[in-house]
Amino acid sequence: MSEEKKPLNFIEHIIEEDLKDGLDANDLRFRFPPEPNGYLHIGHTKAIGISFGLGEKYKAPVNLRFDDTNPAKEEQEYVDAIKEDISWLGYKWAEERYSSDYFQQLYDWAIVLIKDGKAYVDSQSSEAMAEQKGTPTQPGVNGPHRSRSVEENLELFERMKNGEFNEGAHILRAKIDMQHPNMLMRDPLIYRILKKHHHRTGNDWCIYPMYDWTHGESDYIEHISHSLCSLEFKPHRELYDWFLDQVVDTDKLRPKQREFARLNLSYTIMSKRKLLKLVEEGVVSGWDDPRMPTISGLRRRGYTPTSIKKFVETVGVAKRENSIDVSLLEFCIREDLNKSAPRVMAVLNPLKLVITNYDADKEEWLEAENNQEDESAGFRKVPFSNEIYIEKEDFKEEASDNFFRLKLGGEVRLKNAYIIKAESVVKDANGEITEVHCTYTEDTTKKVKGTLHWVSIQHSVTAEVREYDRLFNDEAPDSHQDKDFMEFINPESLKIIEAFVEPSLADAEIGQQFQFQRLGYFNVDKASKSGVLVFNKTVGLKDSWAKQKPKTETNQQKPQQKRLPIELIKQYGKKYDRLPDDKREEAKKDIQELAKHIAYDDLEPLFNTSVKKSGTRIITMISLGVLLANGVVKNEAINAFIAKALEDKNKLLVEEASAL
RNA sequence: UGGCCUAUGGUGUAACUGGCAACACGUCGGUUUUUGGUACCGAAGAGUCUAGGUUCGAGCCCUAGUAGGCCAACCA
């Protein structure tokens, strides 16, 4: 076994370390803990891929645990959808669990906490408690109920549980430290009163545990070794550990929370709340609209589990904020479908073509290869006749040599058929071409540059084709503090086309995937019925021809993170003295421009730059020159800096210094 | 007036206890091709946010700064 070592991500490093430190590999166990309050999206796929992926790698069990502690937002519909999506991705969970399974245990532990003087009942308004909590920059203060006796706390908590109070009247909170620098440690809530029906426990409870109290203890109950979540839970880790400290038996496995950066995809949003808004406001047809970044949307669009897993794998796992280009997702689906999708011919934007030397009443069934990437895919027959459709874009009356398609007097190959030559065109009153007249030859061995797809008109089947574009026009629609994400909705994200497809597609079944040759990958939508074909365009083929033409679509500039001029100048310093002459000249001009926007106080610290970093000293000198020219008066520090530079070995530095 | 996290080509991730910054996508060029697809070959592109320090040697360790993110829900 030649094990090419795949580099480990930081979580795998942690696990390897734990294993080395004596953790039994059999004790490895993970969990994926969705809240059933919405559909899973591509962002969740990363979390799923991490935990289930680790399970596969270490042959460890992975639980699916629904974090269902808030009956106000959670529903069975979401539980079902989540299970379907995870299964569809091809993952198998060891056990299906619910946080609500542990409500009794959590309650019992809460009693222990109260008895230990580690928790108390507070009876103030949420506003009053928020007030006492302080702010991130200001410590909190103790509230009036903090010193209630254990007996009183026990009694009140019991009565909370029995439903004797209204929602909001009391809460149970941990007694930690109201001055703690971590806000989450300032006596966090453990239980609140919620007189709501729960999708699993019905009306058994009218108090419900909070996330922090529930999550770590649930991990402990399930013997989870590594509890992986996204970065925003980092501050919760301290509390996670505190709660664990209160109940953990030291010879039992203690779960560990570790955090990774969540996935962000360009031109889309990942917030469940915002996705729900798109659904509710009818911007999309539902959670599974093919434009949605949900797993169900991607599935309906034609994405495969393989492609999504590959995507998550390539994206990697780390701790820094990221934004992944959709083109990577598209690459992954093309790569997968290229190997498996049968090729067929379909014309989306038809132009009639008449072959004048082919008998009008003749038809031939020609052999066509289903997939040249897959020998086992075999062949099929496609009908040919004297009248066919080709794409409008595939014909021009005249065009330059790099237009490989059909032009008057030019020859082109018809895929799976003959070579034709365009002889003349027929136009309507507006000058629009309505027909192209061609002649054909049966000699198919000739070399011609272009190959076109086509469909015999009399044999063609009509189909509805839904072409999608990105749902938002902005790269990061929900990142603007002054604008709502709804303002960026792309009004042209869905285009419905009447297309003509080859007859072999007539009985294509829902979910089947094809490559429409030269166009892209398409699948049969669930709206398809016998006799009424509906296709979704999953993704187009890579099109290096379209790129050559001046695109009307303005290439959106990446909003480069703005850096301060002084920082940019410093960066030049790193390599300035090593640049070739011409580039150095450019750099110098750039520096001089940038230097107009810096203050003397920004520059002065650089005077102390060590002798060996001459590049930095030179750029400092150049900038200084600009400042002096703009009226900064020479002081002692400046004079010393220049004097020292004049003695330097570096010619460039001396040159710049003597100029001052 | 705080705490925590992060900083490596355009994007995303690597670089095992410090040792010539690598891979994928994207970009550009070429070969093959009955898909301007695929496959294959090649190229450009970062000297690792800045400064200082430790070291023979720093992307990695230390210090300070800068930038970005997270933290004040009876949400998860």
Side-chain angles (χ1 to χ4, degrees):
Chain A
M1 273 201 245
S2 63
E3 274 184 40
E4 33 156 328
K5 251 190 228 164
K6 263 233 285 251
L8 305 177
N9 65 45
F10 81 98
I11 294 174
E12 293 165 331
H13 276 297
I14 290 170
I15 293 172
E16 290 295 328
E17 199 64 25
D18 289 340
L19 256 18
K20 218 189 294 171
D21 289 347
L23 175 70
D24 187 336
N26 294 320
D27 287 340
L28 247 22
R29 189 185 278 268
F30 308 98
R31 110 266 90 120
F32 175 64
E35 181 189 10
N37 69 340
Y39 279 62
L40 258 23
H41 54 63
I42 185 81
H44 292 110
T45 313
K46 177 173 177 179
I48 294 170
I50 290 171
S51 286
F52 279 97
L54 249 16
E56 285 175 357
K57 175 174 172 143
Y58 290 100
K59 303 199 182 359
V62 182
N63 286 353
L64 170 59
R65 181 170 74 231
F66 290 97
D67 221 336
D68 56 350
T69 57
N70 186 356
K73 293 203 280 182
E74 295 147 8
E75 294 168 29
Q76 186 61 38
E77 177 203 347
Y78 296 127
V79 170
D80 298 336
I82 289 168
K83 284 164 67 177
E84 188 192 348
D85 287 344
I86 298 174
S87 301
W88 176 75
L89 282 171
Y91 291 114
K92 289 192 170 54
W93 49 87
E95 291 173 47
E96 178 181 334
R97 300 286 190 109
Y98 294 82
S99 295
S100 52
D101 295 342
Y102 314 132
F103 280 173
Q104 185 59 47
Q105 173 71 81
L106 258 8
Y107 175 78
D108 293 343
W109 273 331
I111 302 272
V112 174
L113 241 51
I114 295 173
K115 285 183 178 163
D116 287 347
K118 299 277 181 60
Y120 62 99
V121 173
D122 202 342
S123 317
Q124 307 178 81
S125 67
S126 56
E127 293 77 25
M129 285 189 280
E131 183 88 5
Q132 289 151 17
K133 204 160 189 175
T135 69
T137 54
Q138 267 173 323
V141 295
N142 292 348
H145 303 122
R146 202 171 195 267
S147 49
R148 281 220 252 242
S149 69
V150 169
E151 291 68 32
E152 194 183 354
N153 284 325
L154 246 19
E155 191 210 319
L156 283 169
F157 188 48
E158 169 81 22
R159 294 175 59 196
M160 280 166 67
K161 183 205 171 201
N162 292 341
E164 295 181 29
F165 303 117
N166 289 330
E167 290 186 9
H170 304 278
I171 53 98
L172 182 73
R173 63 197 298 197
K175 195 184 212 173
I176 306 180
D177 178 2
M178 290 302 288
Q179 269 91 266
H180 202 286
N182 182 348
M183 297 275 305
L184 288 159
M185 299 294 277
R186 324 239 256 232
D187 291 9
L189 264 70
I190 300 178
Y191 272 98
R192 78 286 213 189
I193 297 169
L194 242 32
K195 297 195 166 168
K196 296 256 168 26
H197 181 268
H198 187 278
H199 73 112
R200 303 200 87 230
T201 61
N203 297 317
D204 292 353
W205 296 88
C206 47
I207 55 171
Y208 289 91
M210 300 290 289
Y211 166 82
D212 287 294
W213 172 237
T214 308
H215 207 92
E217 319 308 283
S218 301
D219 286 340
Y220 177 60
I221 292 168
E222 293 179 22
H223 308 293
I224 302 303
S225 60
H226 298 264
S227 181
L228 309 167
C229 58
S230 49
L231 237 37
E232 65 269 27
F233 289 96
K234 177 67 220 283
H236 293 251
R237 186 150 118 196
E238 199 170 11
L239 182 54
Y240 179 99
D241 285 329
W242 190 91
F243 278 139
L244 241 29
D245 285 339
Q246 312 312 314
V247 306
V248 155
D249 187 336
T250 46
D251 30 72
K252 292 221 179 94
L253 181 115
R254 182 191 170 104
K256 221 180 216 196
Q257 175 184 306
R258 289 298 179 268
E259 312 81 13
F260 55 86
R262 58 161 71 219
L263 171 77
N264 295 299
L265 242 199
S266 62
Y267 296 101
T268 191
I269 53 172
M270 289 298 180
S271 145
K272 276 195 239 179
R273 207 195 82 236
K274 289 173 184 165
L275 291 173
L276 178 63
K277 191 170 175 188
L278 295 177
V279 174
E280 282 176 341
E281 299 201 358
V283 175
V284 295
S285 63
W287 284 99
D288 71 343
D289 185 296
R291 292 165 292 179
M292 289 283 270
T294 49
I295 296 181
S296 50
L298 290 165
R299 173 166 63 231
R300 187 166 166 198
R301 174 82 170 254
Y303 277 79
T304 58
T306 310
S307 67
I308 294 177
K309 283 158 123 172
K310 175 71 190 291
F311 171 71
V312 165
E313 197 180 301
T314 4
V315 150
V317 183
K319 290 216 274 200
R320 62 171 160 166
E321 298 288 325
N322 58 73
S323 177
I324 315 258
D325 204 303
V326 269
S327 66
L328 183 63
L329 223 204
E330 293 178 347
F331 166 79
C332 292
I333 186 60
R334 283 194 195 105
E335 187 188 45
D336 188 30
L337 257 20
N338 175 50
K339 288 180 278 189
S340 59
R343 319 282 134 134
V344 293
M345 293 196 286
V347 173
L348 301 192
N349 191 13
L351 172 62
K352 184 174 173 184
L353 191 147
V354 181
I355 299 163
T356 53
N357 60 343
Y358 194 91
D359 281 350
D361 47 8
K362 186 175 171 188
E363 72 165 32
E364 279 180 278
W365 287 76
L366 305 167
E367 190 157 74
E369 193 174 12
N370 285 330
N371 185 355
Q372 48 276 78
E373 305 294 323
D374 177 6
E375 281 183 29
S376 68
F379 296 81
R380 70 183 185 290
K381 299 279 189 187
V382 289
F384 186 75
S385 67
N386 74 319
E387 291 189 339
I388 63 172
Y389 283 134
I390 62 167
E391 298 287 346
K392 241 178 204 145
E393 304 83 70
D394 283 343
F395 176 78
K396 275 188 187 174
E397 282 183 270
E398 42 190 310
S400 64
D401 280 349
N402 60 358
F403 183 74
F404 299 170
R405 286 111 107 137
L406 191 61
K407 56 189 169 195
L408 277 183
E411 284 186 310
V412 83
R413 185 188 301 279
L414 292 176
K415 180 83 187 168
N416 307 313
Y418 306 110
I419 289 171
I420 53 167
K421 181 176 183 183
E423 309 284 0
S424 62
V425 293
V426 178
K427 294 184 182 177
D428 65 13
N430 302 323
E432 290 279 318
I433 299 170
T434 53
E435 282 179 24
V436 180
H437 286 200
C438 297
T439 51
Y440 88 107
T441 162
E442 292 195 347
D443 172 18
T444 57
T445 57
K446 235 203 280 192
K447 280 256 176 208
V448 289
K449 251 201 194 140
T451 300
L452 308 185
H453 61 276
W454 52 273
V455 170
S456 164
I457 297 177
Q458 57 164 304
H459 301 94
S460 71
V461 174
T462 59
E464 176 179 323
V465 170
R466 299 174 179 173
E467 263 191 308
Y468 306 102
D469 197 357
R470 51 177 64 120
L471 240 190
F472 296 96
N473 283 322
D474 189 84
E475 195 165 359
D478 59 357
S479 71
H480 302 266
Q481 59 287 67
D482 49 336
K483 283 185 182 163
D484 189 71
F485 74 100
M486 297 292 276
E487 292 180 39
F488 298 106
I489 287 174
N490 176 6
E492 284 158 19
S493 59
L494 170 63
K495 212 164 96 191
I496 296 178
I497 298 166
E498 167 106 33
F500 298 87
V501 304
E502 62 171 73
S504 71
L505 251 24
D507 43 31
E509 286 168 13
I510 290 172
Q512 264 192 297
Q513 298 182 291
F514 301 94
Q515 184 196 91
F516 288 1
Q517 278 190 312
R518 303 210 305 132
L519 296 174
Y521 296 98
F522 296 75
N523 75 344
V524 183
D525 189 75
K526 67 178 184 185
S528 234
K529 289 189 280 285
S530 71
V532 193
L533 279 171
V534 180
F535 287 97
N536 294 307
K537 181 172 179 179
T538 307
V539 67
L541 253 30
K542 206 169 137 188
D543 189 351
S544 43
W545 165 245
K547 265 190 304 205
Q548 286 176 28
K549 303 188 286 188
K551 282 236 209 167
T552 39
E553 180 195 338
T554 47
N555 251 345
Q556 301 219 12
Q557 292 268 346
K558 295 250 159 92
Q560 283 248 333
Q561 198 179 320
K562 260 196 208 129
R563 302 186 58 198
L564 298 174
I566 185 69
E567 296 300 325
L568 293 166
I569 291 178
K570 283 177 183 172
Q571 199 170 17
Y572 273 121
K574 198 108 192 171
K575 53 185 175 187
Y576 186 84
D577 50 342
R578 279 178 289 151
L579 288 173
D581 289 346
D582 54 333
K583 285 202 177 169
R584 195 173 55 236
E585 272 310 306
E586 276 175 43
K588 183 169 172 178
K589 278 193 199 123
D590 204 8
I591 292 167
Q592 287 173 324
E593 195 50 45
L594 288 164
K596 290 178 187 166
H597 308 285
I598 63 169
Y600 173 73
D601 289 343
D602 290 335
L603 199 61
E604 205 194 68
L606 295 182
F607 292 174
N608 299 322
T609 303
S610 75
V611 181
K612 65 182 176 187
K613 302 203 172 183
S614 37
T616 303
R617 295 172 72 205
I618 298 169
I619 58 96
T620 306
M621 195 63 74
I622 295 171
S623 309
L624 179 59
V626 174
L627 291 186
L628 290 173
N630 287 339
V632 170
V633 182
K634 282 190 184 177
N635 60 23
E636 228 170 89
I638 294 177
N639 287 330
F641 177 62
I642 295 175
K644 194 168 168 199
L646 286 169
E647 295 163 15
D648 203 84
K649 286 191 291 259
N650 189 304
K651 280 190 205 124
L652 284 169
L653 180 54
V654 174
E655 202 178 293
E656 295 297 343
S658 46
L660 308 184

